[in-house]
C-alpha cells in the first residue's frame, strides 16, 4: 500500500465512470478530499453513488461542472490540487462518427486538462489513464514485436480513424499528453496502460464497453461459441490501486502496462461455467474463426472481417513487470473478477431485460 503524503484535494476526471468510481473510493477511504468535475453534477443517477461513498468514508467529495470539450472548464476543480488523475475518455466501439465521438473527447480533452495543469501552480503529478490500446491495435501486431511480447517501449501504429478508432483515439491522446508534459518542468506525468478492465462497478448503469463484452457472455449472443480472441484483462479494483500508487509514489514515471492476465474471450467466458453454466447460455465451445469472419459483419455492432482476421486465434501477451516493480501492482485471479462482475449483472437484472 502506497504512503499518501498530500493533504491537498485530488482531482479525478470522469468520476461518474466505471474505472474512476473505484479510484474515487480508494481516495475517499484514504481520507482525502476529491474534486470531481463531471458533465452534470445535478444528474443524481450519475453522482448519487459518489456522494454515498464519501458519506461512508473518512474523505469528502466536491462536484464541479466541466466538459472535456470546453476549454477552461476544469480550472476551478483543479485549483489547489497537487495530483490530477485524468481518466475521462469515451470507451465504446460502436460509433457512427469516430472523430466526434472518440478522437475529439480523447485528444482535445487530454489537451484541455493537461494544459490546465500547466497553468495551475499547485499541480505536481498528473496520472493519465491511457490503455494497452496505445501499445497495440490488433493481436497480429504481436508478431512484429522484438521479443514476442507487448511492452511499454512499443506504440500502436496499426490503428486509424477507420480501423480500431477507439485505439487510435487513445494513442493520439497519450502522445499529446507526453508532448504537453515535456513542455514544462513543474509536474510529471505517470501513464497507466490497462488492458481490458473487468470486475464489478460502483455506478448502477455502467456505460463502459467492458460491460457490453461480458453481457454477451450471458445473453445468448455467444450461444454458438466464443472466439479465441486474445485479450489482456485486469480487475477494476486492482487497477484503482495502481492509480493510487501512480499518484503517490514519488519516483514513479513513464508508462506502465497494468494487466493481470493474458487470456482470450473463450477462456474468460469458461470461468463463468461452474457457477452460471446451468442458468445462462455461457459459451461452451470455441467459435471457429471462419464462422466469425462470415457472420461478424452482420452481428450486433458489426465486426469487420479485417478485425476478425487480425485478432481471432491470435494470442495477446504482455510484460506487466514494470507496473509490478515500480507501482507494486498486484492482480487477483481472473475467475474472481469475472464472477464478481457477472454476479452483479445478474443481480441488476441485466439478463432478464430485453
Ligand atoms: P466509462 O465508464 O464509460 O467512463 C468514461 C468517463 O468519461 C465517464 O465518466 C464519462 O462521463 C466521461 N466522459 C466521456 N465524455 C466526456 C466529456 N465530453 N466530458 C466529460 N467527461 C466525459 O469508461 P471506463 O471503462 O471507466 O473508462 C475510463 C478510462 O479508462 C478511459 O480513459 C478508458 O479509455 C480507459 N480504459 C478503460 C478500459 C476498460 O476496459 N474499461 C481499458 C483500458 C483503458 P459521463 O458519465 O458523463 O458519460
Amino acid at each position: 500500500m502506497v504512503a499518501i503524503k498530500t493533504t491537498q484535494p485530488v482531482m479525478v476526471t470522469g468520476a461518474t465512470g466505471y474505472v474512476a468510481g473505484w479510484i474515487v473510493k480508494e481516495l475517499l477511504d484514504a481520507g482525502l478530499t476529491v474534486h470531481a468535475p463531471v458533465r452534470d453534477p445535478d444528474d443524481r443517477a450519475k453522482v448519487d453513488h459518489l456522494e454515498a461513498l464519501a458519506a461512508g468514508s473518512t474523505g469528502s467529495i466536491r462536484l464541479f461542472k466541466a466538459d472535456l470539450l470546453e476549454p477552461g472548464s476544469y480550472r476551478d476543480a483543479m485549483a489547489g490540487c497537487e495530483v490530477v488523475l485524468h481518466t475521462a475518455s469515451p470507451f465504446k466501439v460502436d460509433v457512427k462518427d469516430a472523430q466526434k465521438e472518440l478522437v475529439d473527447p480523447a485528444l482535445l480533452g487530454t489537451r484541455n486538462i493537461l494544459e490546465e495543469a500547466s497553468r495551475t501552480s499547485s499541480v505536481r503529478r498528473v496520472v493519465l489513464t491511457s490503455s494497452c490500446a496505445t501499445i497495440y491495435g490488433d493481436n497480429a501486431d504481436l508478431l512484429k514485436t522484438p521479443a514476442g511480447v507487448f511492452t511499454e517501449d512499443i506504440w500502436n501504429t496499426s490503428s486509424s480513424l477507420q480501423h480500431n478508432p477507439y485505439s487510435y483515439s487513445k494513442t493520439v491522446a497519450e502522445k499529446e499528453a507526453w508532448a504537453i508534459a515535456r513542455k514544462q518542468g513543474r509536474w510529471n506525468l505517470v501513464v497507466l496502460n490497462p488492458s481490458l478492465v473487468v470486475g464489478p462497478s460502483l455506478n448502477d448503469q455502467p456505460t463502459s464497453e467492458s460491460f457490453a463484452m461480458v453481457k454477451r457472455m450471458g445473453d445468448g449472443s455467444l450461444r454458438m461459441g466464443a472466439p479465441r480472441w486474445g485479450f489482456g484483462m485486469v480487475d477494476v479494483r486492482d487497477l484503482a490501486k495502481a492509480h493510487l500508487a501512480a499518484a503517490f509514489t514519488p519516483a514513479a514515471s513513464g508508462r506502465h502496462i497494468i494487466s493481470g492476465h493474458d487470456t482470450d474471450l473463450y477462456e474468460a467466458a469458461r470461468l463463468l461455467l461452474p457457477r452460471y453454466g446451468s442458468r445462462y447460455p455461457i459459451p461452451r465451445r470455441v467459435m471457429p474463426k471462419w464462422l466469425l469472419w462470415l457472420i461478424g459483419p452482420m452481428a450486433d455492432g458489426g465486426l469487420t472481417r479485417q478485425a476478425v482476421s487480425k485478432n481471432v486465434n491470435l494470442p495477446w501477451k504482455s510484460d506487466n513487470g514494470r507496473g509490478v516493480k515500480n507501482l507494486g501492482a498486484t492482480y487477483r485471479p481472473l475467475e474472481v473478477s469475472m464472477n464478481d462482475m457477472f454476479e452483479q449483472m445478474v443481480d441488476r437484472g441485466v439478463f432478464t431485460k430485453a
Side-chain angles (χ1 to χ4, degrees), residues 226-229 264-271 283-286:
R228 296 215 76 145
W229 182 315
D264 64 54
L265 287 184
Y266 169 72
E267 285 298 339
R270 265 166 59 92
L271 298 172
R284 290 171 181 273
R285 283 188 293 271
V286 173

Side-chain angles (χ1 to χ4, degrees), residues 13-21 23 37-40 43 46 66-70 73-74 86-92 100-101 104-106 109 113 128-133 166 169-170 192-198 201 203 205-211 213 232 234 236 239 243 258:
T13 70
T16 52
Y18 169 46
V19 170
I23 299 172
V38 298
R39 283 200 260 200
D40 181 2
D43 184 344
K46 290 259 183 185
D67 193 297
L68 291 172
L69 298 172
E70 204 178 305
S73 64
Y74 290 87
H86 177 35
T87 84
S89 198
F91 178 33
K92 48 187 178 181
K100 218 166 129 196
E101 294 174 65
D104 286 352
I113 287 148
L128 174 72
T129 313
S130 185
S131 171
C132 276
Y166 165 72
S169 77
K170 295 298 288 181
L192 298 187
N193 305 87
S195 55
L196 182 69
V197 185
V198 289
S201 72
N203 48 340
Q205 290 165 350
T207 55
S208 173
E209 191 68 27
S210 292
F211 287 82
M213 301 263 286
V234 60
V236 68
L239 177 58
H243 275 83
I258 303 294

Side-chain angles (χ1 to χ4, degrees), residues 251-278:
S253 68
R255 310 174 87 195
H256 305 81
I257 289 175
I258 303 294
S259 181
H261 309 276
D262 297 345
T263 182
D264 64 54
L265 287 184
Y266 169 72
E267 285 298 339
R270 265 166 59 92
L271 298 172
L272 300 170
L273 279 173
R275 269 174 70 184
Y276 297 103
S278 62

Side-chain angles (χ1 to χ4, degrees), residues 12 44 67 69 91 125 163 165 193 196 215 225 232 237 247 256 277 285 297-298 301 315 332 339:
V12 183
R44 300 317 312 172
D67 193 297
L69 298 172
F91 178 33
R125 167 74 44 98
H163 179 64
N193 305 87
L196 182 69
K215 181 171 178 280
R237 296 158 290 191
H256 305 81
R285 283 188 293 271
M298 274 86 79
R332 70 197 67 201
N339 279 279

Side-chain angles (χ1 to χ4, degrees), residues 16 18 24 32 34 66 72 76 105 117 122 144 152 165 174-175 196 233 279 337:
T16 52
Y18 169 46
V24 168
L32 294 171
V34 175
D76 291 350
S122 56
K144 294 181 265 167
E152 290 89 352
E174 191 192 323
K175 284 191 171 166
L196 182 69
M233 292 193 188
R279 285 181 286 152
S337 314

Side-chain angles (χ1 to χ4, degrees), residues 55-323:
S57 77
T58 50
S60 61
I61 194 162
R62 277 187 68 196
L63 301 173
F64 296 79
K65 186 171 171 56
D67 193 297
L68 291 172
L69 298 172
E70 204 178 305
S73 64
Y74 290 87
R75 188 180 310 137
D76 291 350
M78 204 181 289
C81 296
E82 272 177 15
V83 174
V84 167
L85 294 119
H86 177 35
T87 84
S89 198
F91 178 33
K92 48 187 178 181
V93 291
D94 189 13
V95 292
K96 289 191 173 57
D97 183 340
Q99 179 69 41
K100 218 166 129 196
E101 294 174 65
L102 294 171
V103 177
D104 286 352
L107 176 62
L108 304 180
T110 298
R111 188 179 297 156
N112 191 7
I113 287 148
L114 271 58
E115 285 183 346
E116 196 67 60
S118 297
R119 285 190 292 269
T120 307
S121 60
S122 56
V123 177
R124 296 285 179 276
R125 167 74 44 98
V126 175
V127 178
L128 174 72
T129 313
S130 185
S131 171
C132 276
T134 68
I135 291 172
Y136 87 112
D138 297 297
N139 290 335
D141 296 349
L142 192 69
L143 304 170
K144 294 181 265 167
T145 59
V149 61
F150 293 123
T151 69
E152 290 89 352
D153 295 333
I154 297 169
W155 281 90
N156 175 354
T157 55
S158 65
S159 297
S160 65
L161 209 48
Q162 290 73 36
H163 179 64
N164 291 333
Y166 165 72
S167 305
Y168 177 70
S169 77
K170 295 298 288 181
T171 305
V172 292
E174 191 192 323
K175 284 191 171 166
E176 179 74 357
W178 285 115
I180 296 169
R182 276 193 291 270
K183 281 192 207 144
Q184 55 76 55
R186 175 173 26 79
W187 53 268
N188 70 344
L189 179 65
V190 181
V191 171
L192 298 187
N193 305 87
S195 55
L196 182 69
V197 185
V198 289
S201 72
L202 291 165
N203 48 340
D204 278 347
Q205 290 165 350
T207 55
S208 173
E209 191 68 27
S210 292
F211 287 82
M213 301 263 286
V214 174
K215 181 171 178 280
R216 279 184 213 110
M217 295 178 182
D219 70 2
S221 306
L222 300 178
R223 199 184 294 272
M224 287 158 72
R228 296 215 76 145
W229 182 315
F231 269 100
M233 292 193 188
V234 60
D235 190 280
V236 68
R237 296 158 290 191
D238 298 333
L239 177 58
K241 287 191 193 311
H243 275 83
L244 260 76
F248 298 112
T249 304
S253 68
R255 310 174 87 195
H256 305 81
I257 289 175
I258 303 294
S259 181
H261 309 276
D262 297 345
T263 182
D264 64 54
L265 287 184
Y266 169 72
E267 285 298 339
R270 265 166 59 92
L271 298 172
L272 300 170
L273 279 173
R275 269 174 70 184
Y276 297 103
S278 62
R279 285 181 286 152
Y280 297 91
I282 312 287
R284 290 171 181 273
R285 283 188 293 271
V286 173
M287 164 157 307
K289 185 169 183 169
W290 64 265
L291 184 56
L292 191 61
W293 189 88
L294 211 60
I295 63 173
M298 274 86 79
D300 192 20
L303 210 48
T304 67
R305 292 198 165 131
Q306 189 183 6
V308 174
S309 301
K310 292 184 171 174
N311 290 284
V312 176
N313 294 352
L314 290 165
W316 193 91
K317 204 172 163 204
S318 79
D319 178 354
N320 66 7
R322 196 164 190 275

